[in-house]
């Protein structure tokens, strides 16, 4: 870990401003991803801005019947919130499927969205990785590499990593939006598809945040009801990242929404795939995974995604 | 000037140490620490509180589990300087050889460890598990999100899964937790 | 004391303490976090510095340049020692890869520098300032390639006419299997504090299973006199074979201390455990079994390969096939292939863990082909002699009883016999069985017992790696000397104490307690001499002989000391000593996703006298857990492009978590093996991991009808064969 200076921010606007003034600085919330990466010198911020005392740790009702989740609400608090459990159960489920109790107690809503990939080569500073070091090459693309956990769709010739968040998959299926404030004090809202960028030839650029811009909240639209489920498939029963996960909202009339985790650089959802829901898992995946480019080691994820959705749709 | 060299200049000139007052097991400690010091290293290397263990230093094993303001966390993934005024409890605060906490006693009674290295973390998590169930916080295996939470084996196992034990003492850890749960009920 | 013939009836057959449940005497220290592990020896070391290692980033080649100037100038840095600064250190016999020095790179994350600084933060940051350039040479990383290439494998042994037996066979199978490379992944990383300030006398506080071996290895590696080395390792946070040897942490700490003149501590960062330290090699195995229609096995033909760095021995997966089941014709061959992955070495039940994982699937396949119950099939092929050398009888073998008792307790008879036909909702339910076998090795073991100030102090360099040594040694002393547990103090893991068996190969418990027993007898003799009495009895804290009756702790005069080593005689070479078991497993496999979750597991063990049923049970439970991990998730994934284990952390290398472990039960048969030790005990520390993985595989087959032969048995291997959706 490289040395850094440290300050505690008092509110979001000030934090954003300070971040802009200190190039290369990073916000630190729970620290569960940032410190992990700093120890490996994958992240080397010269300055840290502690945002754990800027407030934003509440969940409040919005005018249109939704909820506004402060960026510093912990994953535990969010998952355990009664309104979330009642009206957005898929989010609660996704949160509790992630990490461990200890980590969820620290992990924040903003930090969870911004956690970086678990690609083993990204995590090993000695390996070439375009995401870590633009232009260095991608160790995962070499023949013989370990790609079992990596992405099958939305990837590029420069990077095939996935986004590891469970929470984000549920947020995507709920059409949540990310709210930010920038150093000038301007706020904006982004859908998750606007927020997360695909790698193309710049895998190091993962999201639409501009320098200094800070996440203040995640906004959930009014509850959509339906049966909401999150199915996370992994090798061991707990404390493991998803091989594939499926967030599903099913309405009585057979309509619904599906988002996938563990397969792409962002939570993966398509409207035309949602539209196929009444036609079953195979039809949904034909659309949702159209254009997939798996490796021989992770092609199973295509089958697994389909079967996982089928498991959710099966009434047994 | 490239941005990397700006960063390096900054690192050289900036203040990279901070003063922090940590309240640990009820005792206040004033420290001046390298900003990089994790809470775990502050405990182990600066305060000689070596009961919290370092198994991975990356949030992947749970050996470093401590309580901050009553919540269990991985001490290896948080900076000491972020905990000014927080109440921290470590295994040393849970109980000592002469005044064992019921959970510690239950671990001995059920042989809920072998090498002992994961044990302080397991004990902190075990206590937290019962608290979290009591507080109505759901888990991955909770059947009904809106209903009450059962104190079942399955719930305990899931909630203890952030603490690896390579000696494989899980079955006995479960027994120990059950014993304490029963004593409480 | 020589142990030259089987033990007759002795005091342990009337035991008050041995064989009875006793809670761990070191328990309070462990649950309070006050047991001192190597990196934490602030009680004995002051003013130390912290060392942090740098690992090579290639698998094979040479270092052409290292520039450590920036690291040396970094804040807080006291010294940087690079591999190019010193010649290659001599390798001890027990080290295959070199530990440090010189330009040669033999594996990824080989230690190539250590930075010593005031704090961890400073040392760690400075390592990344070291510039390294390499000249890479292509390496060999793919075991399957080697398998395909390999024509003639070394035949270890052939008995009878195997080829003819297969030609005649009424029923046979012939399949290829894979087991994965595995990491010990003990929770305490390798760690050492070294004080070598004067460059002559070295004290090492370390985490090591084998004090005497490591002292010897240190002497060779650092070119020191053994007499100038002191090693302490009173608490070891897990080893599983990974801490049998001297490793880089100790060497780097020592070099750092010599360089700086201050004690230095080094812990291997977690990623180093996978690529710098040792691991269990993966295997490719071909197994053929031939049998008559009645189910009697006529031939085994088992060949296997594993990987090793040149000079090592890999993972011999065929060993158990030589002796576990009957059959006149048998052939085994193992070839350790030179490859450029990190050093493969012993991990819990080396050989058998991988071999039984395969043999016991094959037995299931045979039973199925023969239309026999897998339990019955195994019983039918039990043997009471070593089938390769039938004059060698098993001293005490109750494998059949393990199977029978297990069937009963598990409810085996009620199991569903048609694979894939029991379904509960989305889950396919299945049950499986496997046999377990592990040799019962004994190793000479010494100890010293001192009658000192109201207690008996026992000292031996034996280690407690979670195995319960502290407790069973106290029990042995208390039993033999007729005192209570409270009156015994156990001191372990110190090179100042008599050399013991150490902890490994499941020989530790049986051997070290035998050594302690010998030392107790030596003390009894001293006491007899002091009191001038003939063959005194030691009971209830008293020494009794004729009309003499004196409190043991009332003996006056100088401290009395008994020291001895128990030597195991050659007679053991002429008999087969083994431990046996049977595992029963129930799994649920998700019919859609292929996720497999255990529901319950039972193991029945036949391992001679169980010295302490509490700690022995924990050992078996732990072995079972490890076998579940091996079955379902553990695999070091080899990047064959770059030659290293890519998943080098505890998030990527998935050992079983609590939620993976369902109801577990252990049954010990009430057996005694007088040929093993005076206490009639054998080890159980490794038995639990032997065969367990195959029981899971067989249960999965029973659940799904899908036969998996490649570990770990992950869902991607069977998705295409699960029921259609
Ligand atoms: C062993 C392990 C297992 C895990 N398993 C899972 C899993 O199964 N599923 C899963 O989803 N996750 C998993 N995680 C990841 C975990 O969820 C994340 O580490 C956590 O959510 C990050 O939140 P944080 O607050 O700690 O972020 P931090 O580490 O504090 O920050 C992460 C990033 O977000 C930035 N940031 C933080 N807050 C803001 C803000 N308000 N505005 C702008 N930028 C911000 C930081 O600068 C940093 O770049 C696991 C982590 C570990 C270590
Ligand atoms: S897949 Fe992406 S993150 Fe992984 S090595 Fe390649 S570029 Fe880096
Ligand atoms: S040391 Fe903190 S989780 Fe492993
Ligand atoms: S007791 Fe050894 S790791 Fe848990």
């Amino acid at each position: 870990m490289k040395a850094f200076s440290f300050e505690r921010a008092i509110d979001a606007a000030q934090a954003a401003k300070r971040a802009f003034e200190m190039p290369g600085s990073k916000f630190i919330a729970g620290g569960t991803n940032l410190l992990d990466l700093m120890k490996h010198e994958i992240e080397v911020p010269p300055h840290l801005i502690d945002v754990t005392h800027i407030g934003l740790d509440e969940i409040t009702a919005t005018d249109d019947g939704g909820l506004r989740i402060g960026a510093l609400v912990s994953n535990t608090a969010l998952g355990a919130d009664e309104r979330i459990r009642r009206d957005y159960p898929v989010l609660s489920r996704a949160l509790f499927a992630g990490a461990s109790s200890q980590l969820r107690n620290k992990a924040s809503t903003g930090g969870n969205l911004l956690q970086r990939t678990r690609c083993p080569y990204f995590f090993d500073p000695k390996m070439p990785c375009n995401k870590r070091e633009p232009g260095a090459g991608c160790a995962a693309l070499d023949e013989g590499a370990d790609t079992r956990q990596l992405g099958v769709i939305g990837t590029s010739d420069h990077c095939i990593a996935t986004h590891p968040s469970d929470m984000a998959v549920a947020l995507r299926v709920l059409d949540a939006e990310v709210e930010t404030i920038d150093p000038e004090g301007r706020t904006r809202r982004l859908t998750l598809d606007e927020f997360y960028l695909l790698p193309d030839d710049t895998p190091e650029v993962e999201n639409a945040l501009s320098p200094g811009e800070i996440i203040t909240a995640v906004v959930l639209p009014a509850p959509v009801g339906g049966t909401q489920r999150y199915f996370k498939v992994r090798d061991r029963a707990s404390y493991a990242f998803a091989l594939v996960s499926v967030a599903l909202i099913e309405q009585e009339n057979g309509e619904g929404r599906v988002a996938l985790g563990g397969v792409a650089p962002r939570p993966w959802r398509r409207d035309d795939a949602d539209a196929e829901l009444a036609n079953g898992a195979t039809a949904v995946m034909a659309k949702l995974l159209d254009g997939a480019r798996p490796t021989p080691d992770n092609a199973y994820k295509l089958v697994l995604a389909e079967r996982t959705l089928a498991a959710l749709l099966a009434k047994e | 000037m490239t941005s990397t060299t700006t960063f390096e200049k900054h690192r050289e000139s900036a203040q990279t140490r901070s003063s922090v007052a940590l309240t640990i097991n009820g005792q206040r400690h004033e420290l001046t620490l390298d900003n990089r010091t994790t809470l775990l290293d502050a405990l182990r290397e600066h305060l000689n509180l070596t009961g919290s263990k370092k198994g991975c230093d990356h949030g992947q094993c749970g050996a470093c589990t401590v309580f901050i303001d009553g919540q269990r966390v991985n001490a290896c993934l948080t900076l000491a300087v972020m905990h000014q005024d927080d109440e921290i409890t470590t295994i040393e605060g849970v109980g000592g050889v002469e005044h064992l906490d019921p959970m510690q006693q239950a671990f001995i009674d059920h042989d809920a460890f072998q090498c002992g290295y994961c044990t302080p973390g397991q004990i902190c998590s075990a206590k937290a598990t019962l608290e979290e169930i009591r507080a109505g916080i759901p888990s991955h295996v909770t059947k009904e999100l809106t209903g009450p939470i059962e104190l079942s084996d399955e719930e305990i196992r899931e909630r203890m899964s952030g603490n690896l034990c390579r000696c494989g003492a899980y079955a006995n850890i479960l027994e120990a937790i059950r014993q304490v749960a029963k004593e409480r009920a | 004391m020589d142990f030259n013939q089987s033990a007759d009836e002795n005091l342990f057959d009337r035991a008050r303490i041995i064989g009875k449940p006793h809670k761990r005497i070191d328990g309070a220290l462990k649950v309070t976090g006050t047991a001192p592990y190597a990196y934490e020896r602030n009680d004995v070391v002051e003013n130390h510095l912290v060392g942090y290692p740098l690992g090579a980033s290639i698998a094979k080649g040479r270092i052409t340049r290292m520039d450590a100037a920036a690291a040396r100038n970094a804040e807080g840095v006291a010294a940087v020692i690079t591999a190019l600064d010193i010649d290659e250190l001599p390798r001890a016999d027990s080290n295959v890869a070199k530990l440090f020095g010189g330009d040669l790179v033999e594996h990824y994350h080989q230690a190539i520098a250590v930075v010593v600084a005031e704090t961890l933060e400073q040392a760690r940051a400075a390592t990344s300032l070291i510039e390294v350039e390499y000249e890479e040479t292509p390496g060999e990383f793919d075991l399957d390639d080697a398998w395909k290439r390999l024509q003639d494998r070394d035949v270890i042994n052939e008995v009878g006419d195997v080829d003819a037996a297969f030609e005649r066979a009424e029923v046979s199978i012939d399949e290829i299997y894979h087991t994965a490379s595995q990491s010990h992944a003990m929770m305490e990383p390798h760690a050492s504090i070294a004080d070598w300030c004067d460059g002559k006398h070295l004290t090492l506080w370390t985490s090591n299973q084998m004090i005497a071996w490591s002292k010897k290895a240190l002497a060779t590696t650092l070119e020191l006199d053994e007499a100038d080395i002191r090693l302490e390792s009173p608490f070891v946070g897990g080893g599983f074979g990974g801490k049998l040897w001297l490793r880089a942490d100790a060497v780097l700490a020592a070099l750092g201390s010599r360089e700086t003149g201050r004690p230095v501590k080094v812990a291997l960062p977690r990623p180093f455990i996978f690529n710098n330290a040792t691991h269990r090699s993966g295997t490719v195995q071909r197994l053929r079994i031939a049998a008559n229609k009645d189910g009697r096995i006529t031939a085994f033909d088992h060949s296997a390969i594993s990987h090793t760095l040149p000079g090592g021995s890999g993972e011999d997966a065929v060993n158990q096939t030589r002796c576990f089941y009957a059959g006149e014709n048998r052939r085994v061959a193992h070839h350790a292939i030179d490859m450029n992955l990190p050093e493969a070495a012993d991990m819990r039940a080396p050989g058998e863990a991988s071999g039984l994982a395969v043999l016991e699937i094959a037995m299931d396949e045979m039973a199925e082909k023969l239309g026999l119950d897998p339990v019955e099939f195994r019983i039918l092929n039990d043997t009471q002699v070593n089938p390769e050398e039938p004059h060698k009888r098993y001293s005490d073998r109750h494998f059949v009883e393990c199977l029978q008792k297990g069937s009963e307790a598990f409810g085996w008879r009620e199991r569903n016999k048609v694979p894939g036909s029991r379904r509960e909702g989305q889950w396919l339910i299945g049950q499986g069985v496997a046999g377990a076998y592990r040799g019962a090795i004994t190793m000479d073991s010494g100890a010293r017992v001192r009658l000192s100030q109201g207690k008996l102090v026992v000292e031996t360099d034996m280690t407690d790696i979670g195995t319960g040594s502290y407790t069973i040694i106290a029990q042995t002393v208390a039993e033999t000397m007729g005192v209570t547990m409270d009156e015994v103090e156990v001191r372990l893991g110190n090179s100042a104490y008599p050399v013991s068996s150490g902890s490994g190969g499941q020989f530790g418990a049986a051997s070290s307690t035998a050594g302690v027993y010998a030392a107790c007898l030596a003390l009894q003799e001293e006491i007899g001499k002091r009191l001038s009495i003939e063959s005194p009895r030691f009971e209830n804290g008293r020494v009794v002989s004729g009309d003499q009756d004196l409190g043991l702790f009332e003996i006056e005069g100088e401290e009395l000391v008994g020291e001895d080593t128990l030597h195991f005689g050659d007679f053991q070479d002429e008999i087969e000593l083994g431990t046996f078991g049977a595992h029963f497993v129930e799994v649920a496999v998700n019919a859609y996703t292929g996720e497999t979750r255990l529901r319950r597991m039972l193991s029945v063990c036949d391992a001679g006298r169980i010295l302490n049923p509490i700690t022995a049970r924990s050992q078996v439970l732990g072995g079972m857990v490890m076998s579940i991990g091996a079955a379902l998730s553990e695999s070091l994934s080899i990047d064959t492009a770059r030659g290293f284990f890519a998943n080098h952390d505890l998030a990527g290398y998935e050992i079983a978590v609590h939620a993976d472990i369902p109801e577990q039960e252990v049954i010990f048969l009430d057996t005694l093996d007088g040929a093993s030790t005076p206490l009639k005990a054998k080890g159980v520390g490794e038995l639990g991991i032997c065969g367990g993985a195959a029981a899971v595989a067989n249960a999965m087959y029973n659940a799904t009808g899908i036969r998996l032969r490649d570990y770990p048995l992950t869902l991607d291997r069977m998705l295409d064969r699960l029921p259609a959706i």
Side-chain angles (χ1 to χ4, degrees), chain C residues 588-609:
Chain C
V589 181
N590 188 294
Y592 290 84
T593 63
E595 291 162 289
T596 301
R597 302 290 176 243
L598 255 75
R599 289 184 148 194
R600 59 193 178 106
M601 182 165 184
L602 160 72
S603 302
V604 186
C605 301
D606 163 29
R609 188 191 307 282

Side-chain angles (χ1 to χ4, degrees), chain A residues 25-36 43 51 54 56 71-72 75 94 97-100 103 106-116 118 164-168 209 213-216 232 234 239-242, chain B residues 58-61 77, chain C residues 651:
Chain A
S25 64
K26 283 252 163 202
F27 304 119
I28 183 163
T32 59
N33 187 237
L34 185 58
L35 286 173
D36 191 357
E43 300 271 18
V51 295
I54 62 173
L56 303 183
L72 272 302
N75 286 181
S100 66
L103 288 161
K106 280 247 108 210
S108 65
T109 306
N112 189 313
L113 284 175
L114 286 170
Q115 64 173 299
R116 305 194 69 190
R118 305 303 293 200
S165 169
D166 289 298
M167 180 190 82
L209 293 178
E213 188 172 4
I214 183 170
I215 299 176
T216 47
K232 178 175 181 178
R234 42 191 162 176
Y239 204 15
F241 289 93
Chain B
H58 287 276
Q60 301 165 354
C61 76
L77 284 189

